[in-house]
Amino acid sequence: MTWGDALHYLAIGNPISQALVTTTSAVLKESGIKPKQQSLPLPPAKPLKLWEIAGVGYNFVRLAGLSGTAAVIMGAYAKHCLSNISDPSVKMEAKNVFDTANRFHFLHSIVLLATPLTRRPVLFPLFGGMDFSVIFISA
């Protein structure tokens, strides 16, 4: 079962949701409520830049960029340093350890990029960021 199937079942596929939709439709039909025939055109959407969305948390966006850049640089550095190890078992273990560390670093950089979009951006990296990353890592 895919995520889409699961969400469809939870939203409208289960018997409770179907009964609710049927009942609501019947009540609306009997009450005489009809949908609007004409709607006003929406103004064109103004494109927003990331730093405008970030608002007061623009420093987190900068920090996320620096953190991601550091992850890329350390990944390249490790690739070159690990090629100098002669023992295959040590080399494989070092590669596994570094791959895990680098994955965590990238993941936390992405979470840091989303920080300004939270309600309290200063507290998110302390508490919410850890929970957010655990969700993605355990999946």
Side-chain angles (χ1 to χ4, degrees):
M1 179 179 264
T2 64
W3 282 101
D5 295 337
L7 290 175
H8 181 268
Y9 179 76
L10 289 174
I12 58 175
N14 63 35
I16 295 172
S17 296
Q18 288 176 351
L20 183 65
V21 168
T22 306
T23 306
T24 306
S25 298
V27 169
L28 289 176
K29 281 181 185 176
E30 289 192 20
S31 67
I33 297 175
K34 295 180 181 176
K36 289 183 179 180
Q37 298 298 326
Q38 217 175 31
S39 62
L40 298 173
L42 295 174
K46 177 186 166 195
L48 293 174
K49 296 175 177 64
L50 183 60
W51 59 84
E52 291 173 353
I53 295 172
V56 297
Y58 67 93
N59 286 329
F60 289 110
V61 175
R62 290 179 177 174
L63 186 60
L66 291 173
S67 178
T69 303
V72 170
I73 291 170
M74 284 190 269
Y77 179 74
K79 179 73 173 170
H80 293 291
C81 287
L82 291 176
S83 64
N84 295 337
I85 299 174
S86 59
D87 187 14
S89 64
V90 173
K91 184 175 186 175
M92 189 56 109
E93 183 180 348
K95 183 181 182 310
N96 288 338
V97 168
F98 189 80
D99 284 344
T100 303
N102 204 17
R103 190 177 325 114
F104 278 122
H105 192 154
F106 269 117
L107 181 64
H108 282 87
S109 297
I110 292 169
V111 170
L112 194 58
L113 186 62
T115 300
L117 304 176
T118 61
R119 190 176 300 166
R120 292 185 179 91
V122 175
L123 296 178
F124 181 73
L126 299 175
F127 302 106
M130 291 183 283
D131 298 335
F132 191 67
S133 63
V134 168
I135 289 170
F136 280 116
I137 292 167
S138 63

